[in-house]
Structures are given as structure tokens and as C-alpha cells.
């Protein structure tokens, strides 16, 4: 957030956050589900169903860099590119929570199916 305040100022930063309010609201049920599964499964050994993912750190960085170049030209400036970073952070957190919740759900289903 400090970067946004430094580059855009408080008013523009708050405007960026307001524009993405639906994505921020989508985080609430994901966080609630994450906490629920974390509490329910705290005493069990969990299986990582996501470990077979084919995405490597190198491919993620290359994907991010391509998007940065496209954003720089499509938004017309460095500030336009930075303004989209907030959306990327929120989408990244949503994706991470979705993957974790799916993994927790599969573990939850497996554990309570065997009982």
C-alpha cells in the first residue's frame, strides 16, 4: 500500500480500492472457509493434492512479465501499469485461497468419509 500512496496519493489509492470492491468482497467467504477448514483439520495430517501442479516459478514470473509489458502499453504509462498491480494482488490472493480451500475440502472429505 505504501507504493500506491507514494505513486498515486491517498485519493487515487482509495479510488483503486473502491473499483475492486467486488473482488475484495469475494475474499470474505473464501477467508471464512479457509478458517473453518483450518480449525476442523488442525489435528490431522493433510495430503497436498496441489503438489502435482505443473506450474513452475519460472513460468509464473514469465507470465507476470508478459502481462506487465502488455499493461504498460495498453494503459499508456507506468502509472497505469502500477494501477493494475492491485488487481493482480487481489486475484492472486483469491487464487491462492481457492487452491487451499479445494485442498482442505478434499482432505476434509477424505477424513470424514473414512470415519
Amino acid at each position: 500500500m505504501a507504493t500506491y500512496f507514494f505513486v498515486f496519493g491517498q485519493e487515487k489509492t482509495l479510488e483503486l480500492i473502491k473499483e475492486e470492491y467486488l473482488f475484495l468482497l469475494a475474499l470474505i467467504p473464501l477467508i471464512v472457509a479457509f478458517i473453518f477448514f483450518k480449525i476442523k483439520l488442525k489435528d490431522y495430517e493433510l495430503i497436498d493434492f496441489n503438489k502435482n501442479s505443473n506450474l513452475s516459478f519460472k513460468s509464473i514470473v514469465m507470465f507476470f512479465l508478459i502481462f506487465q509489458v502488455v499493461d504498460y502499453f495498453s494503459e499508456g504509462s507506468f502509472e497505469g501499469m502500477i494501477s493494475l498491480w492491485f488487481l493482480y494482488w487481489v486475484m492472486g490472493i483469491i487464487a491462492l485461497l481457492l487452491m487451499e480451500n479445494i485442498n482442505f475440502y478434499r482432505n476434509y472429505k477424505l477424513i470424514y468419509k473414512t470415519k
Side-chain angles (χ1 to χ4, degrees):
M1 284 314 241
T3 303
Y4 293 104
F5 283 125
F6 180 73
V7 173
F8 297 119
Q10 182 178 1
E11 199 171 296
K12 176 85 173 166
T13 302
L14 292 175
E15 184 180 318
L16 280 172
I17 293 170
K18 286 178 188 175
E19 288 176 3
E20 308 304 336
Y21 76 94
L22 289 176
F23 295 116
L24 293 171
L25 288 176
L27 285 172
I28 294 171
L30 291 173
I31 291 170
V32 169
F34 181 81
I35 292 170
F36 169 78
F37 285 126
K38 196 78 165 166
I39 291 170
K40 280 288 208 186
L41 301 173
K42 70 178 178 181
D43 297 330
Y44 297 98
E45 186 175 334
L46 302 178
I47 300 169
D48 185 11
F49 290 104
N50 299 329
K51 69 180 174 189
N52 294 329
S53 173
N54 293 332
L55 289 175
S56 68
F57 182 72
K58 183 180 176 183
S59 63
I60 292 170
V61 169
M62 289 303 295
F63 188 69
F64 181 74
L65 289 175
I66 290 169
F67 263 98
Q68 292 310 301
V69 171
V70 169
D71 290 343
Y72 180 80
F73 289 111
S74 68
E75 294 295 319
S77 69
F78 183 70
E79 287 182 4
M81 179 181 74
I82 291 175
S83 68
L84 291 175
W85 287 357
F86 183 73
L87 176 64
Y88 293 156
W89 276 106
V90 173
M91 289 299 199
I93 293 170
I94 287 173
L96 178 66
L97 283 172
L98 276 173
M99 294 302 293
E100 288 297 316
N101 285 341
I102 290 169
N103 190 51
F104 279 145
Y105 176 72
R106 292 175 89 185
N107 277 288
Y108 182 80
K109 204 164 102 174
L110 184 68
I111 289 169
Y112 285 99
K113 187 179 189 180
T114 59
K115 283 190 172 186

